[in-house]
Amino acid sequence: MTGLPGFSAAESALPAIDVRSRPAAVAAALRIVDANLAEFGDRYPGDTTVRGRYRLRPPDGGNTGWTTSFWPGMLWLAHDLTGDEHYRRAAARHVGSFTDRLRRGADLDTHDLGFLYTLGCVVPYRRSGDQQACRSALAAADHLLARVLEPAGIIQAWGALSDPRQRGRTIIDSLMNTPLLFWASQVSGDDRYARAAHRHTVQLRDHILRPDGTTFHTFYWDPVSGEPLRGETEQGNHDDSCWARGQAWGIYGFALNHRHTGDESFLTAARRCADHFLSRLPADRIAYWDLEFTDGSAEERDSSAAAIAVCGLLELAAQSGAGEYRDAAGHILDALISGYAGDAGSSALLLHGVYDKPKGVGVDEGTLWGDYFYLEALTRLTVPGWAHPW
Ligand code: GLY
């Protein structure tokens, strides 16, 4: 490979712009984590900031929704970045909340059990052998496995399996949830979880990834015949556009599924997602919320898509040996550091994300997942030998 779309060959070959800024960025991010820890402790911030500041997750800071695990996830990263025990203790305390969520059956009708229980329970199990965390993560994997729809072999993304609007639908983000299933097979010795994950990813490779390297946000299969039906967006600009965060989930998700299966076609899929993503970046390297938009648009950027893409590109580089993806990741991360990092006026690590523009939710705000993946990107590039949780 001589260069990447959106990056001149000379630029792709350069080391990242200013590596000296990364330790300062880590220090700044940790100051914000410290302030949020003082404010939220064992409770959970909302999905996004409101006018730049996180508030307690409505109604009372409890463990609901798809993003809560990014909070303890950040605390684990803070521990890995510093070795400071107080982060480890604060992170480990969340196992009780994730266990309780399962016991209460609260808000479990979602594929996002993968995000939730990988960071909420698999990480603490790996760190300390916490058996309760292991049991809870396995129980979450069972819930996720129960969402596999036959004969299509896809994991239904949202809602009850009986919900006619959601039945037979999966979404590109689901690629980030299959690592919980691969982990469950490793720990239990039962290969049903891994087989289901592999089959699901094959379906996304064949249908959610379009021939031109763009992706649908969501895709429906006929729940009775298993036939692929149609793509549809939920958070993108329109059904045929390419939602930036979805494309970033595609880079990282296909690369992770390749890591777990060795299926080369998933690495190719990750490359195709990456090449399109990079070809649509504006001059400052931070994608607009839909890749349909670029410089000259009055639309907002989605810094969270950029942070996820950095992690995905680093994963892709590690697995493919293509250093150009690593360089591209470094350029994007340095652009985030210099133009998008949170400041004293905000409680977000990363400013200017978009949750759901069509619905007007969390537009030009900090996001809990953007903060997590920004800190994961910084950890990947500043802690030698760091092993990611996915
Ligand atoms: N996984 C949901 C989102 O990216 O908005």
Side-chain angles (χ1 to χ4, degrees), residues 66 111-112 115 158 171 173 217 235 243 245 249 355 369:
W66 71 277
H111 69 141
D112 288 320
F115 280 121
W158 295 321
I171 74 173
D173 326 20
H217 179 189
Q235 287 157 256
W243 177 49
R245 193 159 64 253
W249 291 135
Y355 187 1
W369 59 91

Side-chain angles (χ1 to χ4, degrees), residues 277-309:
F277 186 90
L278 294 171
S279 77
R280 295 296 303 164
L281 296 186
D284 83 346
R285 309 281 189 236
I286 306 305
Y288 286 81
W289 66 273
D290 192 295
L291 297 181
E292 186 162 85
F293 305 117
T294 188
D295 283 331
S297 162
E299 296 288 335
E300 294 80 11
R301 313 303 177 100
D302 179 9
S303 60
S304 75
I308 294 160

Side-chain angles (χ1 to χ4, degrees), residues 73-90:
M74 276 186 265
L75 297 172
W76 287 115
L77 293 173
H79 176 254
D80 294 346
L81 284 157
T82 62
D84 190 328
E85 271 297 293
H86 93 279
Y87 291 124
R88 190 193 60 74
R89 282 194 299 273

Side-chain angles (χ1 to χ4, degrees), residues 15-97:
I17 299 164
D18 179 9
V19 289
R20 290 163 306 170
S21 68
R22 292 180 188 158
V26 169
L30 290 176
R31 280 194 293 276
I32 298 175
V33 170
D34 289 343
N36 288 342
L37 187 55
E39 183 168 352
F40 297 108
D42 297 347
R43 296 182 298 171
Y44 298 92
D47 293 327
T48 73
T49 57
V50 179
R51 289 183 291 285
R53 300 207 66 82
Y54 287 110
R55 298 176 179 166
L56 207 57
R57 178 167 295 253
D60 56 3
N63 194 341
T64 57
W66 71 277
T67 64
T68 48
S69 63
F70 294 120
W71 174 226
M74 276 186 265
L75 297 172
W76 287 115
L77 293 173
H79 176 254
D80 294 346
L81 284 157
T82 62
D84 190 328
E85 271 297 293
H86 93 279
Y87 291 124
R88 190 193 60 74
R89 282 194 299 273
R93 279 200 299 274
H94 286 269
V95 170
S97 172

Side-chain angles (χ1 to χ4, degrees), residues 253-267 319:
F254 278 122
L256 290 172
N257 279 274
H258 169 258
R259 180 181 283 283
H260 286 289
T261 62
D263 186 329
E264 283 294 316
S265 72
F266 297 163
L267 197 59
Q319 291 179 42

